[in-house]
Amino acid sequence: MGTVVDDAASVEFHAFFERHYAELARLAHLLTGEADAADDLAADALLALWHRWDRVRASEHPVAYARGVVANLARTRIRSAVRERRRVALFWAQREEKAENPDVAGVVDVQGALRRLPFRKRACVVLRHAFDLSEKDTALALGVSVGTVKSQTSKGMAELQRLLGTQDVPRKVHTAMARTGAAGGRDR
């Protein structure tokens, strides 16, 4: 059972929510250009305000504070989207290579084995061996440390060797991806 102060704060926050939610969602939409994300950002901002409601309601301009929270969340979302686009662009920036008379069975085997790997291991193996990226470039593309790339690549290659029953996995991965074209190796 809440106290009188908690109940008063709850009623006050609910009224604030009702008055300003639509405005905050519009602000988020205009800042991000994403209608679907606007409601989520406004809700996240209001949740953050609720956790600090004692400080927010004591401030001179609680609506300005709320707008600032929405702006910060929108900036974070935009930066995240930009980083993701850069990772995707780096991943697919390598020129496509096509080979004549591909070993279809080999390609299917490698692609099937790759799909069985957890995403991070698969991404590290593909970027390192199919796209010939350095450990540093792979780390940049995936947003992880170079140590993580080394570890995940090593573990992924060991798992592929077990799944494919061969020691020549790097060549097989590179060949399979080259023969299907880089885009053909995407896991949809």
Side-chain angles (χ1 to χ4, degrees):
M1 185 166 148
T3 64
V4 173
V5 174
D6 289 339
D7 289 342
S10 179
V11 167
E12 188 178 337
F13 178 78
H14 182 72
F16 182 88
F17 181 97
E18 292 295 323
R19 259 191 328 271
H20 300 289
Y21 177 79
E23 171 195 349
L24 295 173
R26 278 194 309 275
L27 174 62
H29 180 222
L30 291 171
L31 291 175
T32 63
E34 299 176 26
D36 295 339
D39 285 333
D40 291 341
L41 288 174
D44 289 347
L46 286 162
L47 179 61
L49 292 175
W50 172 245
H51 288 296
R52 297 180 206 96
W53 186 243
D54 287 338
R55 282 188 281 156
V56 173
R57 73 182 188 171
S59 72
E60 265 186 66
H61 303 286
V63 176
Y65 186 86
R67 289 179 187 137
V69 172
V70 169
N72 286 335
L73 289 172
R75 180 178 26 253
T76 299
R77 183 175 184 87
I78 290 166
R79 285 180 178 165
S80 177
V82 167
R83 279 192 304 273
E84 183 64 23
R85 279 193 290 272
R86 285 181 184 153
R87 288 179 191 139
V88 169
L90 180 60
F91 184 84
W92 296 112
Q94 302 293 323
R95 65 183 172 88
E96 290 188 24
E97 301 171 15
K98 296 259 185 198
E100 293 182 28
N101 304 320
D103 175 10
V104 176
V107 170
V108 170
D109 289 346
V110 170
Q111 288 179 342
L114 283 169
R115 277 193 291 277
R116 293 181 63 186
L117 295 178
F119 177 77
R120 187 173 285 173
K121 287 180 187 172
R122 181 181 348 143
C124 287
V125 167
V126 169
L127 288 172
R128 292 283 292 127
H129 294 286
F131 287 87
D132 297 321
L133 292 185
S134 68
E135 290 168 342
K136 183 179 175 185
D137 287 341
T138 300
L140 179 64
L142 297 175
V144 299
S145 71
V146 171
T148 298
V149 169
K150 289 178 182 181
S151 169
Q152 294 296 296
T153 302
S154 175
K155 290 175 183 176
M157 293 302 286
E159 184 67 14
L160 284 175
Q161 286 174 349
R162 187 186 67 73
L163 291 169
L164 295 170
T166 182
Q167 295 297 314
D168 197 18
V169 172
R171 185 189 58 76
K172 281 190 169 229
V173 170
H174 183 76
T175 301
M177 299 307 283
R179 288 191 174 162
T180 60
R186 281 187 266 187
D187 185 25
R188 291 189 175 106

